Amino acid sequence: MYIVLLGPPGAGKGTQADRIAEATGLLHVSTGDMFREHVRNGTELGELARSYMDKGDLVPDEVTISMLKERISRDDAAQGAMFDGFPRNVVQAEALDAALAERGNKIDRALLISVPDEELVSRLSGRWMCRECGRLFHERFDPPSVAGKCDACGGELYQREDDKADVVRSRLEKQKPPEELIDHYRKAGVLHEIDGQKPIDEVTPLLLEALR
Ligand code: AMP
């Protein structure tokens, strides 16, 4: 099964993707995580990606698409995957469709997690991430036991450049899933819309239900 998770930044895609991966065994492919890993490793791609990410802009399609295609060509993606943060637009969606079609696969579900803007700003500007293992925390919803320290691995927590309040608003404007992208999956008959304003624990079963 191949699924895409759609939603604005802060809708809870990353958190829910981790939970879905745990419940279903699906491979979790996050282009944001892949870019952040390149940034951490100081690769050329990381340098390029960072110049866009820090401003809340999207990395150019050709760069993102070729990284994604390389990822899904690996053996561990042969049985299915869940895409989180990809596609962000119709060009990326069509590239994903084509890459899957080459192997006789297709997107089986597109899960759209919807959340109103005001709630997103408050969520995003309270988010902290572990520098070591990438685990997410939230000041309001999921604070770490010890401030500034990761519960999972003890690593240092930091606030992503693109989660700082002023960047958040412009990122929301630039990075909401465009209507044409949602339409792309609606037309394919695979779109399921989920109310992402509910608490995290209530959203997970709704998503799992949509996968049945
Ligand atoms: P995310 O973790 O999904 O919020 O992504 C963090 C940042 O990585 C985004 O703000 C973009 O700069 C970049 N990025 C992630 N996925 C994509 C994508 N599919 N297309 C373009 N840029 C992306």
Side-chain angles (χ1 to χ4, degrees):
M1 195 178 214
Y2 290 90
I3 68 177
V4 298
L5 278 181
L6 302 176
K13 294 191 299 294
T15 305
Q16 297 296 347
D18 284 341
R19 292 172 171 221
I20 295 172
E22 203 173 312
T24 63
L26 269 176
L27 175 73
H28 175 193
V29 176
S30 157
T31 42
D33 284 349
M34 292 168 79
F35 284 132
R36 280 184 287 278
E37 193 178 333
H38 276 283
V39 170
R40 264 200 302 278
N41 295 336
T43 68
E44 208 174 307
L45 174 57
E47 278 304 300
L48 175 80
R50 183 196 209 135
S51 63
Y52 294 94
M53 292 166 81
D54 284 355
K55 288 183 290 189
D57 287 335
L58 289 177
V59 178
D61 285 342
E62 74 236 44
V63 175
T64 311
I65 289 169
S66 73
M67 179 178 77
L68 192 277
K69 280 168 98 173
E70 188 282 322
R71 181 65 192 88
I72 60 175
S73 70
R74 294 191 219 158
D75 288 348
D76 61 354
Q79 300 303 321
M82 169 179 40
F83 301 104
D84 153 23
F86 188 98
R88 293 293 231 271
N89 55 40
V90 174
V91 172
Q92 294 185 3
E94 287 174 346
L96 178 59
D97 289 346
L100 291 175
E102 272 175 26
R103 301 162 1 182
N105 295 124
K106 61 175 176 47
I107 293 297
D108 301 291
R109 296 276 194 291
L111 307 179
L112 170 63
I113 308 180
S114 304
V115 181
D117 284 3
E118 325 78 75
E119 172 66 16
L120 292 170
V121 172
S122 137
R123 286 185 182 188
L124 286 170
S125 43
R127 203 154 81 153
W128 293 80
M129 185 178 262
C130 175
R131 241 183 238 295
E132 304 301 323
C133 73
R135 162 95 155 77
L136 283 169
F137 294 87
H138 194 281
E139 288 169 4
R140 258 201 298 152
F141 309 115
D142 184 18
S145 315
V146 180
K149 216 170 172 186
C150 177
D151 286 9
C153 76
E156 180 201 0
L157 302 184
Y158 75 107
Q159 192 170 35
R160 277 167 46 175
E161 254 340 286
D162 53 353
D163 281 345
K164 296 188 174 161
D166 48 342
V167 184
V168 163
R169 280 178 199 281
S170 76
R171 183 150 71 103
L172 277 181
E173 277 322 304
K174 288 185 262 193
Q175 298 202 9
K176 265 190 226 166
E179 214 31 65
E180 313 85 75
L181 177 62
I182 296 170
D183 253 6
H184 177 86
Y185 291 111
R186 190 177 285 127
K187 281 191 202 129
V190 295
L191 184 74
H192 291 251
E193 187 166 353
I194 278 100
D195 176 7
Q197 231 188 329
K198 295 183 195 291
I200 295 176
D201 287 342
E202 290 177 33
V203 175
T204 311
L206 297 175
L207 291 166
L208 290 173
E209 183 58 38
L211 292 182
R212 291 230 174 83

